[in-house]
Amino acid sequence: MGGGRRAGPRSPRALIEQHFGRSRTVGVEEEVWILDADTLDLAPAVETLVSGAEGRELPGVLKTELHASVVELTSDLSDTVDEALEKIAALRAAASEIAEDHGLRIATSGSYPTSIPQQQEIAPIERYREFVDYAGPSARRQGVSGLHVHVGMPDAATCFRVMETILPWLPLVLALSANSPYFEGRDTGMYSIRAEVLGFLPRHGAPPAFRTYEQWEAAVERIVATGLAGDYTSFWWDVRPHPKFGTLEIRAPDQPTSLASTAALIRLLHSMCAWAIDAPPRPFDPGERGVYMQNRWAASRFGPHGRLIHPDRDDAVSVEELLADLPVEAAGFDGQTCEADRQLEVGRDGDLHAVCADLVARTRVPA
């Protein structure tokens, strides 16, 4: 969870630093649970994994997150999707090896079935402490994990246009990625409870409807100037420009468990951005945000088993039908299943420990 620090007011407004100019490069962030090897309960051992990575030649870094029982795997910049996948696989393998050396295990999913987030330790980083002081219970409840994919953009205007072009399709991505049916030790009745938990944060869901990047930037800087947000990384929207990286950051998917699921989502999101770079801009329609929120809720509630409003017409269609209309290939998805289905199947007899053990097994990188 980037940013989150409550800063003091600042003036005058400064333009956000930009490093656009990259062309469809790829960066990946996975948020990974750290577990006690014996109990499979979450363990506040992020410092163990981060320090264990020091001195290793890795294609990225292991970083702290809000909770001390989560480690973020952040890949180095890649020129291709295949290269990015190799890097994230290497980071998963390294995190797993370090964990096992210290009596720990790792697992990946959108939520951790047996965890009570309010009881989890906060990472010993000042900006996280300040965020919790400010946001209180809404911050402590953020015991959820997502996959973040950065795609390089040539300039700010293109980045903004691509964001608006792919935005109506992101509830479909959430439905396909749904992987958080359990929360606080119970079946929530949602396929992605993560999407709803994020709703406790300020500045969540779809970004407001702006006509230009400059309007987006001005709105962000207005709030930052008040001191109520540290910078634009304190805006936890499902997708956002990341001008300091020169990327569009897509944050909509639940964190996958299998590496194959992570790979399929990275390929899909990269393909969507590549399509959108060359696509004509969508007509400006602030009313689309209402459709987006309806679709986002339906994806959260039903995963691939619900109906979503088509981005281009006034019809509610199945996820499978909508997937067929997606203007890019979506290899690895059938539009009928998601990883939450696997969790619910394993946990059908009420044994959440078995669900956790299955997550550990499926997180492992194939040899």
Side-chain angles (χ1 to χ4, degrees):
M1 180 173 295
R5 183 173 59 85
R6 184 182 181 182
R10 71 189 208 196
S11 181
R13 185 176 74 85
L15 296 180
I16 298 172
E17 179 184 358
Q18 294 184 18
H19 294 283
F20 292 107
R22 300 180 173 92
S23 179
R24 305 179 192 180
T25 54
V26 191
V28 181
E29 300 165 7
E30 288 200 306
E31 296 171 339
V32 176
W33 309 112
I34 307 168
L35 322 175
D36 178 272
D38 295 325
T39 66
L40 298 188
D41 291 333
L42 292 186
V46 65
E47 291 180 291
T48 299
L49 269 72
V50 170
S51 62
E54 293 175 359
R56 292 179 177 234
E57 291 189 9
L58 296 175
V61 296
L62 276 61
K63 299 167 57 178
T64 57
E65 256 293 341
L66 176 66
H67 288 104
S69 50
V70 177
V71 63
E72 180 183 291
L73 313 182
T74 302
S75 74
D76 290 338
L77 187 68
S78 298
D79 291 325
T80 66
V81 171
D82 286 344
E83 184 183 338
L85 293 176
E86 291 177 2
K87 290 176 180 177
I88 207 67
L91 290 173
R92 266 206 201 193
S96 180
E97 180 182 331
I98 296 166
E100 291 182 9
D101 287 345
H102 293 85
L104 302 166
R105 296 291 184 271
I106 63 168
T108 47
S109 59
S111 62
Y112 195 70
T114 59
S115 168
I116 309 297
Q118 297 95 318
Q119 297 176 359
Q120 299 301 324
E121 292 184 22
I122 302 300
I125 305 295
E126 184 62 25
R127 70 178 184 276
Y128 295 142
R129 305 286 189 191
E130 292 176 353
F131 175 52
V132 170
D133 287 344
Y134 172 59
S138 66
R140 286 192 171 274
R141 290 207 75 192
Q142 297 305 308
V144 290
S145 291
L147 173 70
H148 301 170
V149 178
H150 290 258
V151 179
M153 292 288 138
D155 54 70
T158 300
C159 183
F160 181 83
R161 179 173 55 80
V162 169
M163 179 180 76
E164 289 295 319
T165 301
I166 70 169
L167 182 68
W169 296 94
L170 292 185
L172 171 63
V173 173
L174 175 60
L176 298 172
S177 72
N179 193 28
S180 53
Y182 295 107
F183 193 67
E184 298 177 336
R186 61 184 177 86
D187 181 348
T188 64
M190 310 290 284
Y191 271 69
S192 172
I193 193 61
R194 168 186 162 271
E196 297 305 300
V197 170
L198 291 174
F200 288 109
L201 293 173
R203 306 175 294 274
H204 65 275
F210 302 115
R211 289 184 179 274
T212 64
Y213 173 86
E214 288 74 21
Q215 288 183 352
W216 174 90
E217 181 182 55
V220 167
E221 283 296 335
R222 181 182 182 186
I223 295 175
V224 169
T226 68
L228 296 179
D231 62 17
Y232 67 86
T233 62
S234 300
F235 292 66
W236 297 283
W237 292 320
D238 294 343
V239 59
R240 66 189 183 194
H242 203 311
K244 291 179 185 176
F245 287 176
T247 65
L248 181 66
E249 181 186 5
I250 306 161
R251 306 161 51 85
D254 275 7
Q255 171 61 50
T257 299
S258 75
L259 192 62
S261 294
T262 289
L265 282 163
I266 295 170
R267 290 190 188 282
L268 174 61
L269 293 173
H270 189 264
S271 295
M272 289 172 65
C273 288
W275 157 72
I277 285 175
D278 297 324
R282 289 182 71 86
F284 180 73
D285 180 5
E288 280 197 341
R289 292 310 197 260
V291 172
Y292 181 90
M293 294 309 293
Q294 165 62 34
N295 280 347
R296 186 180 189 274
W297 178 86
S300 173
R301 169 69 175 92
F302 300 108
H305 309 294
R307 295 171 67 80
L308 304 181
I309 300 171
H310 199 290
D312 297 325
R313 60 178 191 266
D314 295 335
D315 290 329
V317 299
S318 70
V319 168
E320 186 177 12
E321 291 174 292
L322 192 56
L323 183 64
D325 284 351
L326 186 67
V328 300
E329 183 181 359
F333 299 101
D334 60 12
Q336 300 176 354
T337 59
C338 63
E339 288 193 299
D341 289 314
R342 170 63 177 255
Q343 288 198 49
L344 291 167
E345 179 182 357
V346 174
R348 194 155 289 146
D349 62 358
D351 184 357
L352 292 187
H353 187 273
V355 179
C356 295
D358 186 64
L359 293 177
V360 171
R362 292 192 295 116
T363 296
R364 291 193 179 99
V365 177

